[in-house]
Amino acid sequence: MSEAIKVFLVEDEYAIREGIKKSVDWEKNGFELVGEAGDGEVAFPKIIKTKPDILITDIRMPFMDGLELSKLVKKELPDIRIVVLSGYDDFNYAKEAISIGVEEYILKPVSGDKLMEELGRIAESVKTKKQEQELRTKYIRDREEIKILEQQKFLHDVIGGKMSMGESLELGKELGIDITAAYYATVLMQVFPKNVQSIDAEEYSSSKEATYVKLKEIYSDKDHVYLYEQVGDVLCFLERADDEEEINKNIRTGIEDIKQMMSEYDDLMFFISVGKVVDRIRDVNSSYADASKKFAERYMYTDSFVFYEESEDDKEGIREDVREDRKSTSSKNLDINSLDVSMLSKKTIYNFLRNGTLSEVDDLVNEYFESMGGEAIESMMLRQYVLMESMLSAVAFLENLGMNKENISEMLGDLSNTMQYAESVDSAKDYIRELLTCLIEYRNQMSDKRYVEIIDKAKEYIQGNYKNDDMSLQTVASYVNVSSNHFSAIFRKETGDTFIDYLTTVRMDKAKDLLTCTSMKTSDVGFEVGYRDPHYFSYIFKKTQGMSPKEYRRMKKES
C-alpha cells in the first residue's frame, strides 16, 4: 500500500473549513489531513512541523494572508504543492500566486468533486517525484563504493602533492571533503601480528580488518581528520586544524584512542608515525615523506611503537637497546661459514619482506644499519653478520611463499658469494637494497597473480548469483576472503570497473537477453536479474542503456 499524500488546510471561515473537510473522503482517496488552521500565523509553524505534500489555503485571511503564507512555506519547503482558494476572480491575485509557485488557483465556492479532481492530479505528480527521489537515493547509495574510491584517490593525490590549492578545494567540495585549514599533518598506522610465523593468515586478516573498521567508525564523525586505507594495509590520516597547538592536541588524543582500542587485541601490535606539521596544503607531501621515513623503522621493533616528536626519549631508549643487542652480537667471534641459524634474528628483514614497499627500501636499509651504531658497523665481521641475516631472512620468506630450495638457490645464488659484499658499508647496503627490491618485486608478482585468482573467483560468484537482490560489495569480498576496501581497490585495478558497475553490467546484459528472447513482463525480467523493485529496475535500465526496457524491446522487434 502506497504512503498517503499529506494535506494541510488553512481557511479563516470555520464553516467553510468544516465543509471542505467533510466534502472529501480523505483516506479513501489516498490522502491524510495532517492539520488545519484559521490563519497564516497559526498555520506556518504547524506546516513546518508536519511537512505536508499539499497545502490548501484561502487567499484572504487576517494576520497573514494566503499569498504571504505561501511565500514563507515555499522558502522552507520548496517541494510543497500549494492550492489557493479565493472568492475573488482577480487577475492580479492569480498572477502573483503563479509567481510564488502556487500549483492551482481555484475560485470559491468549490465542490468536493472539483477539489478532489485537482488534488488527484497533483497527487500523481507528488507520487512520481517522490518515487524518482527514492530511486535516485537508492542509486546513489548503491554506488557509494565509487564515491569512497574517488575520495581515497583525492586524499592520495593531495597527500602526494599532485594537486594545487584551487584543484583541492574544488574537487574536495564535490566529494564532501573540506581541506581548508591553517595547519596540516599526516599520520600513518599499520597493524602487524606479534608472531608472524605462527599466526593463522585468515585469523590475522580478520582481526586486522576488525581493527580498521573500528578505527574508521571512530573517525567517521571527526571533521578535523580524513582517513583512507593505502594499498599495503597502511592507514593514512590527514589531520587539519586552525592552529598548531590544536593539531598536536588532536594527534595526541587520536594516539591515545588507538592505544586503548588496540589493547583489546593481544595477538596484534601496531605502529604509528606522525609527520611534521606544515602550514600549506602543497607541503602535505613533505609531512607524509617525514612520517614515511620514520615509519620504515617499524620493522625493527618487536612490539607496538609510536614515532612522534613527543616520544623521542622513549624512541632513543629503544633504539639504544637495539644497538646494544647488535654490539653484543658483533663482539662474538662468529664463524660465518658454520653460523648457527638460531643465533640470528631475522625479524626485521622478514617483516619488511612481508609488508614493506619498494618506496621504503632505502629508508629501511639506512635505519637498519644506523641501529647497529656507526663504529660497530665498521666491523667486517658485523657486516658479514648483517648480510647473512638478510640472506637467511630471504630464504625463510621464500620458503613461506612455497618456493622449493632449488628455486630459492636459483634466485638468490650461492650463499658463500654473499660475503664478498661485506668489504664496505656501501657495498653491504647496496647488496641488501638489491636483495630486498628483487624479493618485493617477486612478492608483488605473486600478489598480482593471487589478485587475478581472487577476481576470477569473484566474477564467477557474481555470474552465478546476480539474481540475488541482496548481493553487495561486502558479500562478494567476504566470499573471496578479502576486506571490502581492499577488494574494491583490486577489483577496479584488475577489471577497470568498480564492483557495482560490473554487477550492473552483468544484470543489464541478462535483462537485454530476456527482453529480446522472451515475452516476460518487464517487472518479471527485473526480478529475474536481481531487482525486486520494478521501478528501480526500469530506472537503472534507462540510466545505463539510454532507454526504458519497453523501448529497448520495441527497438529489438523492429530491427
Side-chain angles (χ1 to χ4, degrees):
M1 184 176 178
S2 60
E3 185 180 347
I5 301 296
K6 297 190 293 183
V7 179
F8 197 100
L9 174 62
V10 186
E11 167 61 60
D12 64 321
E13 294 186 39
Y14 178 78
I16 295 177
R17 190 165 74 244
E18 286 297 307
I20 292 174
K21 286 165 56 181
K22 292 176 180 178
S23 68
V24 174
D25 189 336
W26 301 97
E27 186 176 345
K28 181 180 178 181
N29 288 281
F31 295 94
E32 177 189 1
L33 191 62
V34 295
E36 60 178 288
D39 68 72
E41 283 189 359
V42 174
F44 182 71
K46 292 182 179 180
I47 293 169
I48 299 306
K49 183 177 180 180
T50 57
K51 293 182 173 55
D53 300 300
I54 301 174
L55 167 63
I56 303 173
T57 179
D58 187 13
I59 200 165
R60 282 197 171 186
M61 297 180 295
F63 307 112
M64 182 189 291
D65 66 25
L67 294 182
E68 187 178 354
L69 174 63
S70 296
K71 285 180 184 177
L72 292 175
V73 170
K74 266 291 185 182
K75 186 176 181 180
E76 297 297 323
L77 305 171
D79 292 333
I80 195 170
R81 307 300 178 90
I82 302 175
V83 175
V84 167
L85 305 177
S86 175
Y88 304 90
D89 187 6
D90 189 320
F91 175 73
N92 289 328
Y93 276 137
K95 184 179 178 182
E96 186 175 355
I98 292 170
S99 70
I100 292 170
V102 169
E103 190 80 16
E104 193 62 53
Y105 186 92
I106 303 176
L107 291 175
K108 294 179 181 178
V110 57
S111 66
D113 290 341
K114 171 65 175 174
L115 181 59
M116 188 49 56
E117 180 184 337
E118 295 300 334
L119 291 180
R121 180 183 60 79
I122 296 171
E124 286 304 312
S125 176
V126 170
K127 289 175 182 177
T128 299
K129 186 160 187 177
K130 276 188 173 183
Q131 188 180 80
E132 288 176 353
Q133 289 175 336
E134 288 170 1
L135 296 176
R136 193 179 301 113
T137 299
K138 180 172 172 55
Y139 179 74
I140 292 171
R141 186 173 62 246
D142 284 351
R143 297 178 69 81
E144 186 68 17
E145 174 202 5
I146 297 172
K147 182 180 178 182
I148 292 171
L149 286 171
E150 289 175 345
Q151 288 176 334
Q152 289 182 336
K153 184 179 185 304
F154 170 75
L155 291 170
H156 176 271
D157 289 348
V158 168
I159 290 170
K162 297 178 180 179
M163 304 182 75
S164 67
M165 185 66 175
E167 291 171 332
S168 300
L169 292 173
E170 184 178 353
L171 185 54
K173 187 176 182 180
E174 291 178 15
L175 296 172
I177 298 176
D178 179 12
I179 60 165
T180 54
Y183 293 92
Y184 305 90
T186 56
V187 180
L188 303 177
M189 179 196 170
Q190 190 170 23
V191 169
F192 287 158
K194 284 187 176 177
N195 191 333
V196 295
Q197 294 185 343
S198 65
I199 192 169
D200 180 79
E202 288 189 13
E203 181 184 342
Y204 162 58
S205 178
S206 176
S207 297
K208 183 205 67 184
E209 175 72 1
T211 64
Y212 285 10
V213 168
K214 282 186 180 180
L215 277 170
K216 289 166 187 173
E217 289 175 353
I218 290 172
Y219 282 92
S220 63
D221 60 347
K222 298 183 186 296
D223 59 5
H224 61 81
V225 60
Y226 294 104
L227 165 64
Y228 80 100
E229 187 175 341
Q230 297 179 324
V231 175
D233 300 332
V234 174
L235 292 181
C236 184
F237 303 76
L238 175 59
E239 288 274 3
R240 65 187 186 93
D242 290 330
D243 64 67
E244 200 164 355
E245 183 179 347
E246 181 187 358
I247 200 167
N248 280 305
K249 180 183 176 182
N250 289 338
I251 290 171
R252 287 194 300 270
T253 301
I255 290 171
E256 291 306 314
D257 288 344
I258 291 173
K259 284 181 177 178
Q260 183 175 352
M261 189 199 77
M262 291 303 300
S263 65
E264 302 172 13
Y265 298 89
D266 296 332
D267 58 337
L268 299 177
M269 57 182 178
F270 67 93
F271 298 93
I272 299 172
S273 181
V274 181
K276 65 183 179 181
V277 175
V278 297
D279 58 5
R280 295 176 186 271
I281 191 67
R282 71 178 66 182
D283 293 332
V284 168
N285 63 323
S286 66
S287 175
Y288 178 78
D290 181 49
S292 296
K293 183 176 181 180
K294 292 180 284 190
F295 206 41
E297 295 185 43
R298 67 194 183 280
Y299 302 105
M300 299 162 60
Y301 291 85
T302 57
D303 206 349
S304 301
F305 193 74
V306 177
F307 302 94
Y308 187 29
E309 58 185 10
E310 297 193 2
S311 302
E312 285 300 312
D313 292 340
D314 294 336
K315 176 177 161 185
E316 277 304 308
I318 293 178
R319 286 285 297 280
E320 286 301 326
D321 289 342
V322 174
R323 290 191 185 106
E324 288 304 316
D325 288 344
R326 300 295 189 185
K327 287 177 183 176
S328 62
T329 304
S330 65
S331 63
K332 297 174 183 177
N333 185 20
L334 295 176
D335 179 1
I336 296 298
N337 293 321
S338 60
L339 193 61
D340 183 356
V341 174
S342 65
M343 294 173 63
L344 298 176
S345 171
K346 304 186 291 293
K347 285 187 177 179
T348 297
I349 298 298
Y350 187 85
N351 284 343
F352 184 74
L353 289 173
R354 277 177 58 92
N355 302 287
T357 63
L358 290 172
S359 62
E360 294 179 305
V361 169
D362 283 343
D363 288 335
L364 182 280
V365 172
N366 290 332
E367 291 295 337
Y368 188 42
F369 274 72
E370 285 177 18
S371 71
M372 299 171 197
E375 293 180 5
I377 200 61
E378 292 300 326
S379 160
M380 168 77 80
M381 184 64 72
L382 186 54
R383 289 199 298 274
Q384 290 177 332
Y385 165 84
V386 171
L387 289 167
M388 181 60 77
E389 182 183 64
S390 301
M391 182 59 72
L392 290 172
S393 299
V395 171
F397 175 72
L398 292 173
E399 285 178 342
N400 190 56
L401 289 181
M403 186 179 286
N404 60 41
K405 291 184 178 180
E406 183 179 342
N407 290 335
I408 291 174
S409 178
E410 185 179 335
M411 174 178 280
L412 300 181
D414 187 356
L415 290 180
S416 62
N417 289 334
T418 304
M419 296 306 104
Q420 64 180 302
Y421 299 101
E423 292 297 323
S424 69
V425 174
D426 287 342
S427 62
K429 282 186 175 182
D430 288 343
Y431 177 79
I432 294 176
R433 283 193 192 98
E434 290 179 14
L435 177 68
L436 295 180
T437 299
C438 173
L439 293 184
I440 290 177
E441 286 177 346
Y442 176 75
R443 181 202 70 191
N444 291 345
Q445 288 175 4
M446 293 299 100
S447 295
D448 289 344
K449 182 179 178 182
R450 179 172 174 264
Y451 290 161
V452 170
E453 293 172 354
I454 289 173
I455 300 307
D456 286 346
K457 186 177 180 182
K459 284 181 177 180
E460 184 179 345
Y461 181 81
I462 293 168
Q463 291 286 348
N465 296 274
Y466 66 87
K467 295 181 181 181
N468 298 340
D469 72 315
D470 60 350
M471 180 179 285
S472 66
L473 174 71
Q474 289 73 21
T475 305
V476 182
S478 177
Y479 176 75
V480 297
N481 195 33
V482 176
S483 74
S484 56
N485 275 344
H486 190 45
F487 175 71
S488 176
I490 64 174
F491 193 92
R492 188 171 198 173
K493 179 176 179 291
E494 295 296 327
T495 67
D497 283 328
T498 62
F499 163 78
I500 190 63
D501 281 337
Y502 182 83
L503 173 60
T504 301
T505 298
V506 169
R507 285 174 166 171
M508 291 301 104
D509 287 345
K510 301 294 182 182
K512 287 188 287 187
D513 287 344
L514 293 173
L515 289 168
T516 303
C517 304
T518 74
S519 58
M520 291 172 65
K521 293 180 180 178
T522 299
S523 57
D524 292 337
V525 170
F527 190 86
E528 187 68 18
V529 299
Y531 296 99
R532 292 192 180 277
D533 183 347
H535 299 294
Y536 190 55
F537 166 64
S538 296
Y539 179 87
I540 294 294
F541 194 96
K542 188 167 186 178
K543 192 90 175 173
T544 57
Q545 309 304 314
M547 64 185 76
S548 69
K550 290 181 179 178
E551 290 170 337
Y552 180 84
R553 173 173 271 166
R554 185 164 54 249
M555 179 194 73
K556 283 295 181 180
K557 284 183 177 179
E558 292 173 354
S559 61

